[in-house]
Amino acid sequence: MTVSCKTVLASKVSASFREQMKKDIKERNICPKLVGFLANDDPAAKKYAEWTAKTCAETGVAFELRKVDKQDLEEKITEANEEKEVNGIMVYYPVFGGKQDLYLQSCVSTLKDVEGLCHKFVYNVYHNVRYMDESETMKCIIPCTPLACVKILEFVGVYNTVLPYGNRLYGRTITVINRSEIVGRPLAAMLANDGAKVYSVDVNGIQVFTRGSGIKLTAHKVEDIDAKVEDVVPLSDVVITGVPTPKYKMPTTLLKEGVIAINFSSSANFEDDIKSKASIFVPSVGKVTVAMLERNLLRLHDYQNNLLEQ
Ligand code: NAD
């Protein structure tokens, strides 16, 4: 039996961004510096740090990993905020978990927040505010993993470029299985802000994010609905999963024929036979996330040096 599903690897999506950044950094003879703080023993965080180091070395970004005790992390972030040669700061989470990590995210200076996780940037995503300044010279920094998912959707053609910027997902129905504050909720908001109807699923239930009938609203609204995964997944053109356990599997039988299936969880959330139903399958997004981290870094480097877009 021939399988008509195309597997799209994150390395393929990230390649053009990495090449562009490498060229840009070389031609402009700059060396943006990123500092990563590792304050836990999480193997996933260590792996992410290794990837960051490798990708930065390839693109010409100076990356410094600072291993610190978690009790010293806030002070170390504050010091790095003041270091002129540091253009971007990131922290490998979880550190304490829960609200203390949310607090730490807001300790990073806005102009160095490559992950886009401080209150201002997340607020701007939720309110569909796309620029940091009134004259629209400084684009907002977007959280890296939601941004990586958007770039993957652009790459595979889910964004309809015939439509105007900001409306390019109009007519698409997308389910996101994860509503964390780091990935799932900002992702659902961004996709809905771009015109999609998004079913956002978490352990407690399902919400719909939309810009209303005829996408007349300027930013998305959210409604709780009394539905099950079995009701919304078969309606979805795209299904994005991010459930952090290998036990979770999205049943292939539920999926629409020709669905676009994207998994950002570190575990495989789709069943082994996913390619029998999907038209496009993206098994992981990590490499695109790191590329977005670098892209954000370059942007912040330019903002700090007043090299603004005109
Ligand atoms: P989290 O624990 O904060 O959130 C998990 C989300 O999944 C919650 O919204 C929860 O309600 C939902 N969920 C859990 N079980 C569910 C179920 N059975 N049905 C429906 N929803 C369910 O985790 P997180 O920080 O969002 O990370 C999720 C996964 O994504 C992890 O595996 C993490 O490693 C991965 N991740 C990957 C990247 C990347 O590739 N760049 C970045 C961040 C996180």
Side-chain angles (χ1 to χ4, degrees):
M1 187 186 71
T2 52
V3 176
S4 45
C5 175
K6 188 169 171 62
T7 301
V8 174
L9 298 179
S11 53
K12 174 103 176 141
V13 183
S14 64
S16 63
F17 290 103
R18 289 188 12 220
E19 281 316 306
Q20 183 56 47
M21 280 183 296
K22 200 169 157 180
K23 189 166 164 270
D24 198 17
I25 287 172
K26 197 167 173 218
E27 280 176 8
R28 293 167 60 199
N29 197 22
I30 55 172
C31 186
K33 179 167 178 177
L34 173 64
V35 166
F37 284 107
L38 188 60
N40 65 24
D41 293 323
D42 182 356
K46 278 189 183 156
K47 194 161 173 52
Y48 188 16
E50 283 165 19
W51 271 354
T52 327
K54 187 168 174 284
T55 315
C56 287
E58 282 165 11
T59 35
V61 164
F63 175 68
E64 187 186 325
L65 184 65
R66 296 185 183 174
K67 292 184 185 168
V68 300
D69 188 289
K70 62 182 175 181
Q71 301 302 343
D72 298 330
L73 182 56
E74 180 181 349
E75 194 186 325
K76 298 293 175 192
I77 291 173
T78 309
E79 281 171 19
N81 281 340
E82 298 302 319
E83 286 175 52
K84 209 167 177 311
E85 65 278 13
V86 174
N87 301 112
I89 298 169
M90 66 174 298
V91 177
Y92 295 98
Y93 292 105
V95 177
F96 295 97
K99 289 195 175 154
Q100 201 166 343
D101 283 5
L102 281 179
Y103 169 73
L104 286 169
Q105 281 160 17
S106 281
C107 289
V108 175
S109 157
T110 310
L111 270 184
K112 296 193 177 181
D113 181 15
V114 281
E115 293 183 282
L117 293 176
C118 70
H119 178 77
K120 183 183 170 92
F121 291 142
V122 179
Y123 175 95
N124 287 349
V125 163
Y126 289 138
H127 294 264
N128 204 6
V129 175
R130 301 205 179 207
Y131 288 90
M132 288 164 75
D133 57 336
E134 271 183 24
S135 47
E136 301 195 344
T137 57
M138 295 162 80
K139 276 191 182 162
C140 288
I141 298 299
I142 307 280
C144 298
T145 306
L147 181 59
C149 292
V150 165
K151 292 295 164 192
I152 290 167
L153 292 175
E154 286 179 351
F155 184 92
V156 300
V158 174
Y159 274 74
N160 184 345
T161 53
V162 172
L163 296 173
Y165 173 77
N167 288 347
R168 290 180 173 168
L169 290 179
Y170 187 33
R172 307 283 194 230
T173 301
I174 302 175
T175 291
V176 180
I177 319 265
N178 173 308
R179 205 186 302 131
S180 69
E181 277 306 317
I182 303 230
V183 193
R185 196 163 85 92
L187 175 60
M190 285 161 63
L191 301 176
N193 287 341
D194 277 339
K197 177 176 195 173
V198 183
Y199 293 112
S200 166
V201 180
D202 83 346
V203 277
N204 300 315
I206 303 184
Q207 296 180 334
V208 195
F209 288 51
T210 66
R211 275 177 41 212
S213 175
I215 56 166
K216 290 198 185 80
L217 303 175
T218 51
H220 73 279
K221 63 173 182 173
V222 181
E223 291 160 290
D224 285 306
I225 57 163
D226 187 15
K228 297 192 181 75
V229 172
E230 293 78 359
D231 302 322
V232 301
V233 166
L235 305 174
S236 301
D237 309 304
V238 179
V239 175
I240 304 175
T241 55
V243 181
T245 160
K247 288 192 201 124
Y248 182 90
K249 295 290 175 197
M250 162 63 59
T252 304
T253 48
L254 275 189
L255 296 163
K256 186 173 170 174
E257 193 76 44
V259 72
I260 292 173
I262 301 172
N263 175 55
F264 68 78
S265 170
S266 45
S267 306
N269 285 167
F270 289 102
E271 292 183 319
D272 291 344
D273 64 351
I274 177 65
K275 291 197 209 169
S276 64
K277 203 73 174 284
S279 58
I280 290 172
F281 174 48
V282 185
S284 67
V285 313
K287 287 189 176 156
V288 188
T289 300
V290 179
M292 293 305 112
L293 196 71
E294 289 192 298
R295 193 168 174 265
N296 284 349
L297 177 73
L298 210 53
R299 209 161 257 180
L300 289 171
H301 167 276
D302 289 355
Y303 295 168
Q304 289 157 22
N305 292 285
N306 289 318
L307 303 169
L308 303 178
E309 290 165 32
Q310 295 307 316

